[in-house]
Amino acid sequence: MSPEGLPEDPQEGSPAVSAAIRTPRLELRPLTAGAARDLADGDYSGVRAGADWPMSATPIVAMRAAVDPGALTWLIARRGMVIGECGLKHAPGPDGSAEIGYGVGAAWRANGYGTEAVRGLVEWLPNLTSCRRVTAEVHESNLASRRLLERLNFTIDHLSSPYVWYTRPVRPAQ
């Protein structure tokens, strides 16, 4: 890992992830399998962590990225500090759908960073030709996350209390 805690070789681990995703204020850097193993093992020594990161889910996300090549994961960085993570929970299924997950540390919330990161991820997804639809599962009480998805044109697919499932096509309808 680089001194900023970001993978130096974005090709390691998954050929589908070839470069960082850049947004106006953020850089989403691919989490390599090796770096994911380090994070999953609790080794954050090579990471320049922002306030409130890592989060409680970070080791789980990292373990998934370390063992599943389809669980493409990016570290969300702001000015070189890691403030969160986002990515696919698994490779697209036979129907072309893939579930995303995302999170930013509490100190970074309510600033639009989550929306910006998820927008960058969703705009990158057409690079996966097998991905035709993206879904996200949100607890019904997590209104901020629900609004984030709705701002990005996700619509409610179904309700299974206490969760709400959102979906959107990866490419606009032809």
Side-chain angles (χ1 to χ4, degrees), residues 115-132:
T115 300
E116 190 170 328
V118 173
R119 178 180 289 117
L121 174 63
V122 169
E123 289 175 355
W124 179 89
L125 284 176
N127 290 299
L128 290 179
T129 57
S130 61
C131 190
R132 296 187 304 276

Side-chain angles (χ1 to χ4, degrees), residues 27 44 64-65 70 76 107 109 123 131 133 141 153 159-160:
E27 182 176 21
Y44 297 94
R64 185 184 303 130
I76 303 168
R109 295 179 189 151
E123 289 175 355
C131 190
R133 182 174 84 115
S141 67
N153 298 315
L159 306 169
S160 182

Side-chain angles (χ1 to χ4, degrees), residues 86-173:
C86 65
L88 301 181
K89 291 186 175 184
H90 54 78
D95 66 349
S97 66
E99 182 181 357
I100 61 168
Y102 52 89
V104 295
W108 304 93
R109 295 179 189 151
N111 290 297
Y113 296 129
T115 300
E116 190 170 328
V118 173
R119 178 180 289 117
L121 174 63
V122 169
E123 289 175 355
W124 179 89
L125 284 176
N127 290 299
L128 290 179
T129 57
S130 61
C131 190
R132 296 187 304 276
R133 182 174 84 115
V134 61
T135 64
E137 174 192 42
V138 180
H139 194 278
E140 61 192 3
S141 67
N142 189 343
L143 299 180
S145 190
R146 293 180 65 183
R147 284 191 303 268
L148 178 158
L149 293 169
E150 291 165 4
R151 273 192 298 276
L152 297 176
N153 298 315
F154 281 77
T155 58
I156 294 175
D157 184 60
H158 66 277
L159 306 169
S160 182
S161 190
Y163 297 100
V164 181
W165 284 88
Y166 284 84
T167 187
R168 70 166 272 179
V170 169
R171 293 163 198 81

Side-chain angles (χ1 to χ4, degrees), residues 11-53:
Q11 302 267 344
E12 180 190 338
S14 177
V17 179
S18 61
I21 299 168
R22 288 179 173 72
T23 70
R25 300 178 296 163
L26 304 172
E27 182 176 21
L28 282 57
R29 294 294 306 268
L31 183 62
T32 65
R37 279 189 292 279
D38 290 345
L39 297 181
D41 289 342
D43 179 2
Y44 297 94
S45 62
V47 177
R48 186 170 165 222
D52 298 328
W53 190 90

